[in-house]
Amino acid sequence: MKSDFHRLLAEYPLETLLQTIPTGLFLVDTDFQVVYWNTEAERITGYSSAEAVGRHCSFLEGIPCKDKCGLYAEDTEKPVIGINCSVQHKDGRTIQLTKNVDLLRNKTGTVIGGIEAFVDISRLKQLENSLRSEVEDRTRELELEKAALHSVLDGMVDPVYICDAEFRITFINRALRDIYGDITGQVCHRALHNSSLVCEDCPITDVLSGGVEFRERELENTGKIYEIVHSPFPMAQNPTHKLGVFRDITERKAAERRLQQANGELDAFVSTVSHDLRSPLTPLIGFAELLEERSVDQLDEIGREALSEIKKTATRMKALLEDLLTLARVGQLKNPVQKVDVTRVAEDVMLELADKVIERQAKVDISPLPNVRIPESLLTDLFRNLLANALKYAAVEDPRIEISGESFPGRVRYRVVDHGPGIARDEMAEVFEPFRRGSSSRAHQGSGIGLATVAKIARVYEGSAWVEETPGGGATFVVELARND
């Protein structure tokens, strides 16, 4: 039994179906005379059904149809699907088509005509040609940019290479070619470092994500040390290659080693001299105190003043040597495994200097401080020098001192703020130099080593120390250190 749908389909006129489909359609007899022309064919070609029916289909000036029509050719298998061709619109325009062609047969199988169904792809072809032109233009521009970049890279003194995500070298400049020969096409770890395995610290993943990475390597072919700057290439949102630029830092590394050796020798010398000189000072101070206790009545005023001066000078000398020893040992201590409670260290220093805090009637406020993996003894030296400095110069009228800290990505920063007379701008850079003291310090005793020790601790731990003006008056000492997590 047929369904309602099938009955409706059988009753629905074929003519109505053909006139409503969104495809141009026409039929021809065996003499190529048009016998049917639907509405979409009218829209595409501009010819009405009345103008087309009864005419030879060649009036459309079809290409390649007018040269050779294969509709009835026995050597052409039917149906023919997806033919690209063009016809002449009524207004003279050329229309690009894609069409399907098949034969019409009667019940006995005899060919009685042909059918063509076609779609206008003129707009699509225009867009395709425009896009192709843009792609060709952009490709040409990129090739010119690439050639210009390669010319620039080729003229560089620093060796340069470019490799893809598979570590395959796609370009080397003249400087690198002079060292290795033509290694284009080889994998970088084998060609540059003679290794069958990818380098353990290979930065290509980070670089292809848009990052810039730095590595230090020694090239066996040269015996020199290079800093290799790895950056994305091209510099776009989705880089596909890595650009490596070699900077020769052999001399710089040698200078660093010489400087480290010289600093080590200097620190050792200072440590030895300070220790050797400090040893006789202890009995010297002891004998001065003994004379002061037992024989002061036997001395006249000049003698008593001389004895007092001997004692003071020896005491200052001992303090100076102890400060020099502290300065010399910075950088010689190993970092602790666990982070140090820096807030507790600052509080312990405040208790250590309690007599001076009471003497100045100071109010010391310590906020929670970020922790770091730095030897506790060095942190103690750092805060001892900063707090002692603040207590020494804090204003009598407003002896407030604030110690605070904050964390940044990879960094920590500590601040010690006082509200004293401050430091002249032209002296701010000098107060961290050994034996250099500001003009406001002349009324106070000191070795001139304390802030130099603070600055050295900061340098050793990849940071820096500086001083700023406190709003409203005073000095704010800032120390920034690497987190060293």
Side-chain angles (χ1 to χ4, degrees):
M1 178 182 288
K2 292 185 177 180
S3 66
D4 292 341
F5 176 77
H6 286 91
R7 282 197 301 273
L8 178 63
L9 187 61
E11 297 171 359
Y12 200 77
L14 178 62
E15 169 69 13
T16 303
L17 286 173
L18 296 179
Q19 289 296 341
T20 56
I21 62 174
T23 303
L25 185 82
F26 71 90
L27 309 179
V28 295
D29 59 20
T30 54
D31 294 324
F32 296 99
Q33 300 296 317
V34 177
V35 297
Y36 179 78
W37 193 262
N38 78 342
T39 302
E40 184 65 6
E42 291 181 342
R43 188 193 68 78
I44 292 175
T45 67
Y47 292 99
S48 67
S49 177
E51 292 173 312
V53 173
R55 298 177 67 178
H56 193 281
C57 64
S58 61
F59 80 91
L60 291 172
E61 296 291 327
I63 300 175
C65 305
K66 71 173 184 178
D67 298 326
K68 179 182 179 182
C69 180
L71 176 61
Y72 299 121
E74 295 181 359
D75 60 348
T76 303
E77 186 178 350
K78 309 298 184 302
V80 182
I81 306 297
I83 303 172
N84 287 332
C85 69
S86 64
V87 297
Q88 195 81 17
H89 191 275
K90 184 177 179 180
D91 62 11
R93 289 183 291 118
T94 298
I95 304 172
Q96 300 293 327
L97 303 177
T98 180
K99 67 180 182 180
N100 299 338
V101 178
D102 200 2
L103 297 175
L104 292 175
R105 300 176 187 272
N106 60 18
K107 292 182 179 180
T108 63
T110 303
V111 174
I112 60 174
I115 180 172
E116 287 196 13
F118 54 92
V119 176
D120 183 359
I121 60 170
S122 300
R123 179 59 180 164
L124 182 62
K125 283 291 185 180
Q126 290 175 1
L127 292 174
E128 181 181 323
N129 292 335
S130 176
L131 181 59
R132 181 181 295 110
S133 177
E134 290 182 10
V135 169
E136 290 174 352
D137 290 344
R138 184 55 184 153
T139 300
R140 195 177 304 111
E141 291 176 4
L142 290 174
E143 288 298 328
L144 290 174
E145 291 177 5
K146 182 178 178 181
L149 177 61
H150 284 185
S151 296
V152 172
L153 297 178
D154 223 22
M156 290 176 58
V157 176
D158 295 329
V160 176
Y161 76 98
I162 297 173
C163 72
D164 60 22
E166 302 300 323
F167 314 104
R168 191 75 55 185
I169 296 174
T170 59
F171 170 81
I172 61 172
N173 72 342
R174 184 180 292 107
L176 193 62
R177 192 180 300 111
D178 290 343
I179 298 174
Y180 286 96
D182 189 1
I183 55 175
T184 305
Q186 300 182 36
V187 290
C188 55
H189 50 85
R190 182 182 298 279
L192 299 175
H193 308 301
N194 196 27
S195 172
S196 59
L197 301 176
V198 177
C199 304
E200 291 183 0
D201 59 345
C202 179
I204 197 163
T205 301
D206 293 329
V207 170
L208 294 184
S209 298
V212 177
E213 298 288 326
F214 298 83
R215 298 289 188 272
E216 288 187 9
R217 296 295 294 262
E218 180 176 351
L219 297 185
E220 295 181 1
N221 286 34
T222 64
K224 295 181 178 180
I225 301 174
Y226 293 87
E227 179 184 61
I228 310 176
V229 184
H230 301 276
S231 57
F233 179 83
M235 293 296 289
Q237 291 183 345
N238 298 303
T240 57
H241 290 65
K242 174 174 71 70
L243 172 68
V245 179
F246 293 76
R247 295 174 178 169
D248 187 351
I249 58 171
T250 308
E251 288 300 320
R252 189 184 82 188
K253 298 298 287 186
E256 287 178 1
R257 287 193 294 270
R258 291 193 297 268
L259 181 60
Q260 290 173 353
Q261 182 180 359
N263 285 339
E265 293 173 352
L266 180 60
D267 287 343
F269 173 76
V270 171
S271 179
T272 301
V273 170
S274 299
H275 181 272
D276 291 346
L277 290 178
R278 190 177 57 168
S279 297
L281 285 177
T282 301
L284 180 61
I285 295 171
F287 286 133
E289 290 175 346
L290 181 64
L291 284 173
E292 193 174 41
E293 290 176 3
R294 295 188 177 184
S295 306
V296 69
D297 295 337
Q298 301 176 24
L299 299 173
D300 57 15
E301 185 176 352
I302 295 176
R304 287 194 295 272
E305 289 179 358
L307 182 60
S308 176
E309 192 61 33
I310 291 172
K311 182 180 175 182
K312 284 190 219 180
T313 302
T315 301
R316 284 198 300 269
M317 179 68 75
K318 184 178 179 182
L320 173 61
L321 293 174
E322 288 176 348
D323 286 344
L324 285 171
L325 279 172
T326 299
L327 181 65
R329 72 173 180 168
V330 173
Q332 298 179 2
L333 304 178
K334 292 184 178 180
N335 291 335
V337 176
Q338 301 295 330
K339 289 184 178 180
V340 175
D341 186 344
V342 181
T343 305
R344 177 187 58 77
V345 171
E347 291 172 345
D348 289 347
V349 168
M350 184 178 68
L351 291 176
E352 178 186 329
L353 301 176
D355 56 338
K356 294 182 181 179
V357 173
I358 295 172
E359 178 186 343
R360 298 305 303 267
Q361 297 182 346
K363 181 182 178 181
V364 181
D365 180 25
I366 301 177
S367 301
L369 304 174
N371 298 332
V372 289
R373 285 182 56 241
I374 291 177
E376 184 171 332
S377 59
L378 295 184
L379 290 169
T380 299
D381 291 334
L382 187 149
F383 283 102
R384 181 190 295 119
N385 284 307
L386 290 176
L387 183 55
N389 185 77
L391 288 169
K392 188 180 296 183
Y393 301 108
V396 176
E397 297 82 5
D398 188 9
R400 291 176 296 135
I401 299 172
E402 295 97 26
I403 301 176
S404 62
E406 53 189 332
S407 293
F408 301 93
R411 320 286 291 172
V412 295
R413 188 176 292 173
Y414 302 112
R415 296 178 183 271
V416 178
V417 181
D418 70 57
H419 300 272
I423 300 174
R425 284 183 175 274
D426 58 350
E427 296 178 351
M428 285 184 172
E430 298 178 354
V431 295
F432 292 99
E433 298 178 11
F435 309 111
R436 298 294 293 271
R437 306 176 68 200
S439 56
S440 61
S441 66
R442 293 170 185 169
H444 303 275
Q445 292 185 355
S447 64
I449 300 295
L451 293 180
T453 301
V454 170
K456 185 175 180 182
I457 292 173
R459 286 195 304 272
V460 167
Y461 290 94
E462 301 176 11
S464 58
W466 67 92
V467 61
E468 303 171 349
E469 292 183 358
T470 301
T476 297
F477 284 84
V478 185
V479 178
E480 187 173 273
L481 307 169
R483 288 181 65 90
N484 198 18
D485 293 335

Tab-separated table of all heavy atoms in Angstrom, residues 18-55:
chain	number	residue	atom	x	y	z
A	18	LEU	N	10.103	20.847	-11.479
A	18	LEU	CA	11.251	21.324	-12.248
A	18	LEU	C	11.371	22.844	-12.205
A	18	LEU	O	12.466	23.391	-12.314
A	18	LEU	CB	11.138	20.846	-13.700
A	18	LEU	CG	11.192	19.328	-13.913
A	18	LEU	CD1	11.048	19.002	-15.400
A	18	LEU	CD2	12.484	18.751	-13.363
A	19	GLN	N	10.239	23.538	-12.077
A	19	GLN	CA	10.274	24.994	-12.067
A	19	GLN	C	10.691	25.561	-10.705
A	19	GLN	O	11.040	26.736	-10.597
A	19	GLN	CB	8.898	25.560	-12.457
A	19	GLN	CG	8.533	25.363	-13.911
A	19	GLN	CD	9.451	26.112	-14.854
A	19	GLN	OE1	10.148	27.045	-14.452
A	19	GLN	NE2	9.476	25.700	-16.135
A	20	THR	N	10.640	24.779	-9.664
A	20	THR	CA	10.961	25.288	-8.322
A	20	THR	C	12.343	24.871	-7.823
A	20	THR	O	12.793	25.364	-6.793
A	20	THR	CB	9.903	24.795	-7.320
A	20	THR	OG1	9.832	23.365	-7.355
A	20	THR	CG2	8.540	25.395	-7.630
A	21	ILE	N	13.023	23.974	-8.518
A	21	ILE	CA	14.354	23.574	-8.038
A	21	ILE	C	15.348	24.718	-8.254
A	21	ILE	O	15.242	25.464	-9.229
A	21	ILE	CB	14.838	22.285	-8.744
A	21	ILE	CG1	14.985	22.510	-10.249
A	21	ILE	CG2	13.928	21.118	-8.434
A	21	ILE	CD1	15.597	21.314	-10.982
A	22	PRO	N	16.327	24.915	-7.347
A	22	PRO	CA	17.283	26.030	-7.450
A	22	PRO	C	18.437	25.733	-8.385
A	22	PRO	O	19.591	26.084	-8.112
A	22	PRO	CB	17.751	26.185	-6.005
A	22	PRO	CG	17.709	24.802	-5.462
A	22	PRO	CD	16.513	24.154	-6.092
A	23	THR	N	18.176	25.032	-9.480
A	23	THR	CA	19.208	24.654	-10.450
A	23	THR	C	18.690	24.940	-11.861
A	23	THR	O	17.539	24.625	-12.173
A	23	THR	CB	19.550	23.151	-10.342
A	23	THR	OG1	19.964	22.859	-9.021
A	23	THR	CG2	20.646	22.771	-11.324
A	24	GLY	N	19.552	25.575	-12.676
A	24	GLY	CA	19.156	25.776	-14.069
A	24	GLY	C	19.019	24.440	-14.774
A	24	GLY	O	19.860	23.543	-14.586
A	25	LEU	N	17.966	24.298	-15.593
A	25	LEU	CA	17.710	23.000	-16.219
A	25	LEU	C	17.127	23.220	-17.613
A	25	LEU	O	16.245	24.052	-17.805
A	25	LEU	CB	16.714	22.209	-15.370
A	25	LEU	CG	16.424	20.782	-15.838
A	25	LEU	CD1	17.515	19.848	-15.333
A	25	LEU	CD2	15.070	20.320	-15.310
A	26	PHE	N	17.696	22.509	-18.601
A	26	PHE	CA	17.057	22.513	-19.921
A	26	PHE	C	17.248	21.158	-20.580
A	26	PHE	O	18.171	20.411	-20.262
A	26	PHE	CB	17.560	23.663	-20.795
A	26	PHE	CG	18.977	23.522	-21.284
A	26	PHE	CD1	19.252	22.886	-22.501
A	26	PHE	CD2	20.048	24.042	-20.556
A	26	PHE	CE1	20.553	22.774	-22.968
A	26	PHE	CE2	21.345	23.932	-21.014
A	26	PHE	CZ	21.608	23.299	-22.227
A	27	LEU	N	16.313	20.861	-21.506
A	27	LEU	CA	16.337	19.601	-22.232
A	27	LEU	C	16.498	19.902	-23.708
A	27	LEU	O	15.998	20.920	-24.214
A	27	LEU	CB	15.030	18.826	-22.017
A	27	LEU	CG	14.557	18.609	-20.572
A	27	LEU	CD1	13.233	17.855	-20.574
A	27	LEU	CD2	15.598	17.845	-19.779
A	28	VAL	N	17.202	19.015	-24.408
A	28	VAL	CA	17.350	19.139	-25.862
A	28	VAL	C	16.970	17.812	-26.496
A	28	VAL	O	17.064	16.745	-25.883
A	28	VAL	CB	18.793	19.523	-26.255
A	28	VAL	CG1	19.148	20.898	-25.737
A	28	VAL	CG2	19.795	18.480	-25.769
A	29	ASP	N	16.522	17.918	-27.785
A	29	ASP	CA	16.247	16.676	-28.513
A	29	ASP	C	17.535	16.193	-29.163
A	29	ASP	O	18.615	16.761	-28.935
A	29	ASP	CB	15.124	16.877	-29.528
A	29	ASP	CG	15.448	17.962	-30.555
A	29	ASP	OD1	16.649	18.285	-30.715
A	29	ASP	OD2	14.531	18.482	-31.187
A	30	THR	N	17.432	15.195	-30.013
A	30	THR	CA	18.644	14.638	-30.618
A	30	THR	C	19.286	15.574	-31.629
A	30	THR	O	20.422	15.345	-32.072
A	30	THR	CB	18.323	13.296	-31.306
A	30	THR	OG1	17.238	13.488	-32.227
A	30	THR	CG2	17.931	12.242	-30.262
A	31	ASP	N	18.591	16.641	-31.987
A	31	ASP	CA	19.173	17.646	-32.890
A	31	ASP	C	19.653	18.882	-32.116
A	31	ASP	O	19.897	19.934	-32.722
A	31	ASP	CB	18.115	18.074	-33.927
A	31	ASP	CG	17.747	16.946	-34.865
A	31	ASP	OD1	18.654	16.156	-35.199
A	31	ASP	OD2	16.568	16.842	-35.226
A	32	PHE	N	19.762	18.758	-30.829
A	32	PHE	CA	20.234	19.847	-29.961
A	32	PHE	C	19.275	21.049	-29.930
A	32	PHE	O	19.681	22.162	-29.623
A	32	PHE	CB	21.639	20.334	-30.366
A	32	PHE	CG	22.708	19.291	-30.216
A	32	PHE	CD1	23.139	18.562	-31.318
A	32	PHE	CD2	23.264	19.009	-28.974
A	32	PHE	CE1	24.125	17.591	-31.177
A	32	PHE	CE2	24.244	18.043	-28.833
A	32	PHE	CZ	24.687	17.327	-29.933
A	33	GLN	N	18.014	20.804	-30.246
A	33	GLN	CA	17.018	21.854	-30.145
A	33	GLN	C	16.473	21.854	-28.714
A	33	GLN	O	16.109	20.808	-28.170
A	33	GLN	CB	15.866	21.615	-31.132
A	33	GLN	CG	16.287	21.568	-32.583
A	33	GLN	CD	16.847	22.900	-33.064
A	33	GLN	OE1	16.291	23.953	-32.748
A	33	GLN	NE2	17.926	22.853	-33.829
A	34	VAL	N	16.419	23.077	-28.129
A	34	VAL	CA	15.928	23.194	-26.749
A	34	VAL	C	14.432	22.921	-26.745
A	34	VAL	O	13.665	23.553	-27.499
A	34	VAL	CB	16.213	24.590	-26.173
A	34	VAL	CG1	15.617	24.705	-24.774
A	34	VAL	CG2	17.707	24.860	-26.164
A	35	VAL	N	14.007	21.981	-25.888
A	35	VAL	CA	12.580	21.623	-25.795
A	35	VAL	C	12.000	21.987	-24.427
A	35	VAL	O	10.779	21.965	-24.250
A	35	VAL	CB	12.365	20.125	-26.090
A	35	VAL	CG1	12.768	19.793	-27.514
A	35	VAL	CG2	13.134	19.263	-25.094
A	36	TYR	N	12.901	22.299	-23.464
A	36	TYR	CA	12.405	22.697	-22.138
A	36	TYR	C	13.416	23.643	-21.483
A	36	TYR	O	14.627	23.459	-21.611
A	36	TYR	CB	12.187	21.476	-21.232
A	36	TYR	CG	11.696	21.848	-19.848
A	36	TYR	CD1	10.361	22.179	-19.632
A	36	TYR	CD2	12.585	21.886	-18.775
A	36	TYR	CE1	9.910	22.546	-18.374
A	36	TYR	CE2	12.147	22.251	-17.522
A	36	TYR	CZ	10.805	22.590	-17.308
A	36	TYR	OH	10.379	22.966	-16.067
A	37	TRP	N	12.930	24.640	-20.763
A	37	TRP	CA	13.786	25.679	-20.166
A	37	TRP	C	13.123	26.131	-18.864
A	37	TRP	O	12.028	26.705	-18.887
A	37	TRP	CB	13.884	26.839	-21.154
A	37	TRP	CG	14.949	27.867	-20.889
A	37	TRP	CD1	14.776	29.059	-20.275
A	37	TRP	CD2	16.313	27.809	-21.275
A	37	TRP	NE1	15.947	29.757	-20.237
A	37	TRP	CE2	16.917	29.004	-20.864
A	37	TRP	CE3	17.086	26.846	-21.947
A	37	TRP	CZ2	18.270	29.286	-21.086
A	37	TRP	CZ3	18.417	27.120	-22.162
A	37	TRP	CH2	19.007	28.316	-21.740
A	38	ASN	N	13.772	25.862	-17.691
A	38	ASN	CA	13.062	26.171	-16.447
A	38	ASN	C	13.357	27.597	-15.945
A	38	ASN	O	14.158	28.336	-16.536
A	38	ASN	CB	13.366	25.123	-15.368
A	38	ASN	CG	14.719	25.316	-14.694
A	38	ASN	OD1	15.591	26.011	-15.225
A	38	ASN	ND2	14.916	24.678	-13.542
A	39	THR	N	12.713	27.963	-14.838
A	39	THR	CA	12.780	29.331	-14.314
A	39	THR	C	14.202	29.714	-13.907
A	39	THR	O	14.663	30.841	-14.162
A	39	THR	CB	11.835	29.481	-13.106
A	39	THR	OG1	10.506	29.161	-13.521
A	39	THR	CG2	11.870	30.887	-12.556
A	40	GLU	N	14.925	28.820	-13.265
A	40	GLU	CA	16.284	29.133	-12.812
A	40	GLU	C	17.219	29.313	-14.004
A	40	GLU	O	18.141	30.127	-13.968
A	40	GLU	CB	16.812	28.021	-11.891
A	40	GLU	CG	18.186	28.285	-11.288
A	40	GLU	CD	18.220	29.471	-10.326
A	40	GLU	OE1	17.144	30.042	-10.027
A	40	GLU	OE2	19.325	29.842	-9.881
A	41	ALA	N	16.968	28.573	-15.096
A	41	ALA	CA	17.746	28.770	-16.327
A	41	ALA	C	17.504	30.168	-16.882
A	41	ALA	O	18.428	30.812	-17.401
A	41	ALA	CB	17.391	27.709	-17.362
A	42	GLU	N	16.256	30.634	-16.783
A	42	GLU	CA	15.959	32.006	-17.210
A	42	GLU	C	16.748	33.017	-16.391
A	42	GLU	O	17.327	33.972	-16.927
A	42	GLU	CB	14.451	32.276	-17.079
A	42	GLU	CG	13.585	31.510	-18.061
A	42	GLU	CD	12.112	31.847	-17.882
A	42	GLU	OE1	11.746	32.393	-16.814
A	42	GLU	OE2	11.323	31.577	-18.803
A	43	ARG	N	16.750	32.819	-15.059
A	43	ARG	CA	17.446	33.779	-14.174
A	43	ARG	C	18.946	33.793	-14.428
A	43	ARG	O	19.584	34.856	-14.459
A	43	ARG	CB	17.175	33.428	-12.705
A	43	ARG	CG	17.678	34.474	-11.717
A	43	ARG	CD	17.676	33.935	-10.310
A	43	ARG	NE	18.678	32.886	-10.125
A	43	ARG	CZ	19.965	33.108	-9.969
A	43	ARG	NH1	20.455	34.354	-9.981
A	43	ARG	NH2	20.803	32.095	-9.805
A	44	ILE	N	19.539	32.633	-14.636
A	44	ILE	CA	20.991	32.540	-14.799
A	44	ILE	C	21.438	33.125	-16.140
A	44	ILE	O	22.424	33.861	-16.210
A	44	ILE	CB	21.451	31.070	-14.665
A	44	ILE	CG1	21.244	30.581	-13.215
A	44	ILE	CG2	22.928	30.929	-15.065
A	44	ILE	CD1	21.550	29.105	-13.016
A	45	THR	N	20.697	32.808	-17.232
A	45	THR	CA	21.160	33.206	-18.573
A	45	THR	C	20.560	34.512	-19.072
A	45	THR	O	21.097	35.131	-20.000
A	45	THR	CB	20.823	32.110	-19.596
A	45	THR	OG1	19.392	32.029	-19.733
A	45	THR	CG2	21.386	30.765	-19.164
A	46	GLY	N	19.452	34.915	-18.485
A	46	GLY	CA	18.769	36.117	-18.972
A	46	GLY	C	17.795	35.842	-20.099
A	46	GLY	O	17.052	36.733	-20.508
A	47	TYR	N	17.786	34.624	-20.648
A	47	TYR	CA	16.873	34.242	-21.733
A	47	TYR	C	15.615	33.617	-21.140
A	47	TYR	O	15.701	32.722	-20.282
A	47	TYR	CB	17.522	33.244	-22.690
A	47	TYR	CG	18.662	33.823	-23.500
A	47	TYR	CD1	19.978	33.620	-23.121
A	47	TYR	CD2	18.395	34.571	-24.659
A	47	TYR	CE1	21.033	34.146	-23.858
A	47	TYR	CE2	19.439	35.092	-25.406
A	47	TYR	CZ	20.762	34.884	-24.991
A	47	TYR	OH	21.784	35.405	-25.732
A	48	SER	N	14.470	34.089	-21.600
A	48	SER	CA	13.208	33.510	-21.145
A	48	SER	C	12.989	32.159	-21.831
A	48	SER	O	13.676	31.813	-22.810
A	48	SER	CB	12.041	34.440	-21.459
A	48	SER	OG	11.847	34.529	-22.874
A	49	SER	N	12.029	31.422	-21.315
A	49	SER	CA	11.702	30.126	-21.917
A	49	SER	C	11.246	30.305	-23.356
A	49	SER	O	11.612	29.519	-24.242
A	49	SER	CB	10.617	29.441	-21.080
A	49	SER	OG	10.228	28.224	-21.680
A	50	ALA	N	10.485	31.353	-23.599
A	50	ALA	CA	9.985	31.599	-24.958
A	50	ALA	C	11.127	31.877	-25.920
A	50	ALA	O	11.073	31.512	-27.103
A	50	ALA	CB	9.005	32.765	-24.950
A	51	GLU	N	12.211	32.535	-25.398
A	51	GLU	CA	13.352	32.872	-26.260
A	51	GLU	C	14.267	31.669	-26.493
A	51	GLU	O	14.988	31.620	-27.496
A	51	GLU	CB	14.167	33.999	-25.627
A	51	GLU	CG	13.433	35.328	-25.583
A	51	GLU	CD	14.200	36.367	-24.795
A	51	GLU	OE1	14.656	36.047	-23.665
A	51	GLU	OE2	14.351	37.513	-25.277
A	52	ALA	N	14.266	30.723	-25.570
A	52	ALA	CA	15.203	29.599	-25.646
A	52	ALA	C	14.620	28.379	-26.332
A	52	ALA	O	15.296	27.724	-27.153
A	52	ALA	CB	15.692	29.233	-24.245
A	53	VAL	N	13.379	28.037	-26.014
A	53	VAL	CA	12.771	26.803	-26.546
A	53	VAL	C	12.655	26.917	-28.064
A	53	VAL	O	12.183	27.933	-28.601
A	53	VAL	CB	11.404	26.559	-25.893
A	53	VAL	CG1	10.702	25.379	-26.576
A	53	VAL	CG2	11.566	26.280	-24.408
A	54	GLY	N	13.088	25.872	-28.731
A	54	GLY	CA	13.044	25.826	-30.192
A	54	GLY	C	14.354	26.244	-30.842
A	54	GLY	O	14.535	26.042	-32.054
A	55	ARG	N	15.285	26.792	-30.086
A	55	ARG	CA	16.558	27.212	-30.653
A	55	ARG	C	17.617	26.137	-30.432
A	55	ARG	O	17.536	25.335	-29.473
A	55	ARG	CB	17.023	28.525	-30.028
A	55	ARG	CG	16.075	29.682	-30.289
A	55	ARG	CD	16.538	30.948	-29.600
A	55	ARG	NE	17.786	31.462	-30.180
A	55	ARG	CZ	18.357	32.593	-29.754
A	55	ARG	NH1	17.824	33.288	-28.739
A	55	ARG	NH2	19.472	33.001	-30.323
